[in-house]
Amino acid sequence: MRRITQNWASGHLLNMVSNVNRRRSWFLEGASPGQLANLALAGAEFGLGRQRMRALPVLIKVDISPACNLGCTFCVHAEPAASATPSLLAGQDFKRKLMPLDRFTQLVEEVRGRTSAVSLYYLGDPLMHPQLPEICSVAASAGLAVHVSSNFSFRLSDERLLELATSGLTHLTVCVDSLRQDRFELTRVGGRIDLVLDNLERILAIRRRLGLRRPKIEVQFIVFQHNLDERDDAASWCADHGVDQFTAYWGNLHNYGDLAPSQVTVHGPLRARPLPRCSWPHFSMQVKYDGDTIPCCYHRQSEQYRPGGDARPVGNVFSTSIREVWNSPRYQLLRRISRNPAAAEQDGASSSFCHGCPVVYETDAAAHELVADRHSWDDVYARGDDGKVYRR
């Protein structure tokens, strides 16, 4: 079991390093001296394992809306029939949840000149927020790199795409998991690839017509057994149409809820290492639409918008401030857990957000994962007579 846990944690670390490498331009391109200094200070404090931070978060992820128009099998938005997980069967609540523009502006002003980038999504699609262009503009005006990731399966007018392209958005990631509708909809449930590709073509054309350098556009191709033969064709389509970056990696066939704390057995804390086991508590934070703050976007996803869910926020940046939350006793505990999980047990680690995360605890999480390099869609799901996707 320890080997399985170590393999999971090593894989998570490699994935995290890969994500940072392919998105390093978020933090470096056009960075101000203050932002570069904050990044360097955060790196030093991470290396020293400091609990109280002088640096502010380098990246802030903001869930401007947890709502989504699709029901992807991997996500909390999946139909209950597509998951056997009790936490999803208990229901998720995403309706009428939008971060107000003035609240977002307040958040940005607190980190102006220090934080390098803001990423405007978590469990929802940012295009669900009607004021997305205005939100991008507020962040860009404060000198922040602005990232959006979207399924792009919307009926977007030329005017809406123009607003987005000229909003100050610096990086746009679009998910294109197949060029064929019959395959695309297996995991992007409810999505339409014709809308995705048409929107992509038009925003790329707008960027060319206006001579814009940004937003940089990345296409993310999540690989499954059923679309593996399309990867090169998708990469060629992107090259032909002027997409800046094509990223492909193996997807997951389990649901977020399969890794909920209630579904995973925790055997105990992992041993300390010279460097903290997780970088999130020193570099990034995740802010939800209502200001509630959690330290990362990888753990407890199915608990955040489930009534009675075990969300375990570490504070609220609208009730206090980002710096107060960032250096609160609960956040400092997370940094101790990351540095030395076993020693932090006596400080109440079992009640923290990070408890049960396989990066810092020995768990059976790997046994709940269904990675597409080893499993096919047909192993896990089936289509009913009604056309819906069901978990086998």
Side-chain angles (χ1 to χ4, degrees), residues 7-8 11-12 15-16 19 22 71-76 78 82-83 177 183-184 186-189 220-227 248-259 297-298 301 365-381 389 391:
N7 288 344
W8 192 100
H12 175 82
N15 184 55
M16 184 169 61
N19 282 336
R22 70 186 172 100
C72 301
T73 53
F74 181 60
C75 188
V76 294
S83 174
D177 301 339
R183 293 177 171 183
F184 182 76
L186 293 180
T187 52
R188 300 283 173 188
V189 179
Q220 183 176 272
F221 186 90
I222 300 181
V223 183
F224 299 93
Q225 300 291 341
H226 59 264
N227 68 1
Y249 58 89
W250 286 108
N252 292 312
L253 289 163
H254 56 271
N255 184 271
Y256 282 140
D258 294 324
L259 299 178
C297 63
Y298 288 109
Q301 296 104 322
H368 299 262
E369 289 190 322
L370 299 169
V371 184
D373 62 345
R374 299 187 297 274
H375 300 273
S376 71
W377 187 90
D378 294 308
D379 291 337
V380 185
Y381 299 101
V389 174
R391 187 80 168 252

Side-chain angles (χ1 to χ4, degrees), residues 45-175:
E45 292 182 316
F46 170 76
L48 294 171
R50 286 180 59 93
Q51 295 174 32
R52 186 171 183 83
M53 299 282 291
R54 291 174 57 207
L56 285 175
V58 175
L59 167 68
I60 297 180
K61 289 178 66 70
V62 183
D63 202 17
I64 58 173
S65 172
C68 190
N69 58 324
L70 303 188
C72 301
T73 53
F74 181 60
C75 188
V76 294
H77 294 279
E79 288 288 335
S83 174
T85 307
S87 61
L88 280 188
L89 294 176
Q92 302 277 332
D93 181 17
F94 308 104
K95 294 179 180 178
R96 296 179 295 279
K97 291 177 168 58
L98 299 172
M99 179 176 284
L101 181 61
D102 61 338
R103 286 295 200 179
F104 181 79
T105 302
Q106 170 192 330
L107 183 155
V108 165
E109 287 303 315
E110 287 187 48
V111 300
R112 177 191 285 267
R114 303 287 300 281
T115 293
S116 298
V118 62
S119 192
L120 302 177
Y121 68 99
Y122 171 38
L123 296 175
D125 193 294
L127 281 171
M128 297 294 289
H129 200 299
Q131 293 180 293
L132 176 60
E134 292 90 336
I135 287 172
C136 291
S137 180
V138 165
S141 296
L144 291 163
V146 189
H147 177 242
V148 161
S149 182
S150 173
N151 63 62
F152 235 38
S153 183
F154 293 82
R155 293 187 180 278
L156 300 175
S157 67
D158 289 342
E159 290 75 18
R160 179 72 166 163
L161 289 172
L162 177 61
E163 288 177 344
L164 193 60
T166 58
S167 65
L169 177 66
T170 54
H171 298 77
L172 170 64
T173 299
V174 175
C175 304

Side-chain angles (χ1 to χ4, degrees), residues 188-201:
R188 300 283 173 188
V189 179
R192 286 183 48 184
I193 190 59
D194 60 329
L195 292 179
V196 177
L197 298 179
D198 180 62
N199 290 331
L200 259 177
E201 287 189 67

